Amino acid sequence: EVCFNSFQWPKIATPLRELEKHGARPHYRTRRRVGRTMSRILQKLRLTRMRYLTWLKTCKPDFVVISFACHTDDPQIANTCRRLGIPYSIVLQAAGSHNWIDNRSLDDFRDAYNGAKRCFFVSAENRDTIESNLAVELQHSEIIDNPFSVAVDARPAWPATAPHWKL
């Protein structure tokens, strides 16, 4: 059985619709934000520490694949899995040296990445950024290809330069 947990977008992505069509159980969560001040208050009260607990207990996964769009995405789903003893892996799509993880969150991020069975990065630079941000060496990591929808041997037409370039 396959379950997935994703943000609720106005239009559901085709791959998610395909998963549903083949029997996957979806869980769509709200995109509403609480605000920085309220988020910090909830964190201090430790009310966000097990945010995905209900979903994880409902779907009872044997393994969880967590995809982070950015290296600063909230690691709480990974840490909730770790606390529940559910094995997981992390796939990191993007990391930039211009955006550092907040010092107050370093332990949560270290726990998340160190607790993963495997960490996957779409580039060596992404892995280097995380290792630098967290001051750790992720021995259990691997660089993977980031899938894309353009054929490798495609020869797209060069854009017209007339009447002029628009930059």
Side-chain angles (χ1 to χ4, degrees), residues 7-26:
F7 279 125
Q8 176 72 57
W9 296 97
K11 183 180 178 201
I12 297 171
T14 302
L16 296 180
R17 281 199 320 267
E18 284 295 313
L19 284 172
E20 282 186 75
K21 189 169 86 176
H22 289 92
R25 284 192 302 151

Side-chain angles (χ1 to χ4, degrees), residues 15 93 122 144-156:
Q93 304 294 326
V122 298
I144 59 171
D145 288 333
N146 197 3
F148 52 91
S149 59
V150 177
V152 175
D153 58 351
R155 302 268 188 253

Side-chain angles (χ1 to χ4, degrees), residues 32-86:
R32 277 184 253 133
R33 295 190 175 252
V34 181
R36 189 175 300 161
T37 303
M38 183 58 86
S39 289
R40 287 195 178 134
I41 290 169
L42 293 172
Q43 285 174 353
K44 283 185 192 261
L45 295 172
R46 299 195 180 273
L47 296 176
T48 60
R49 302 295 275 184
M50 300 283 268
R51 211 163 78 194
Y52 299 93
L53 181 66
T54 303
W55 177 71
L56 289 166
K57 283 190 169 185
T58 300
C59 84
K60 298 178 180 126
D62 295 320
F63 193 85
V64 175
V65 177
I66 301 165
S67 178
F68 290 141
C70 178
H71 72 288
T72 57
D73 284 354
D74 186 352
Q76 289 311 312
I77 190 165
N79 288 324
T80 302
C81 285
R82 189 177 48 76
R83 288 184 186 103
L84 294 175
I86 300 168

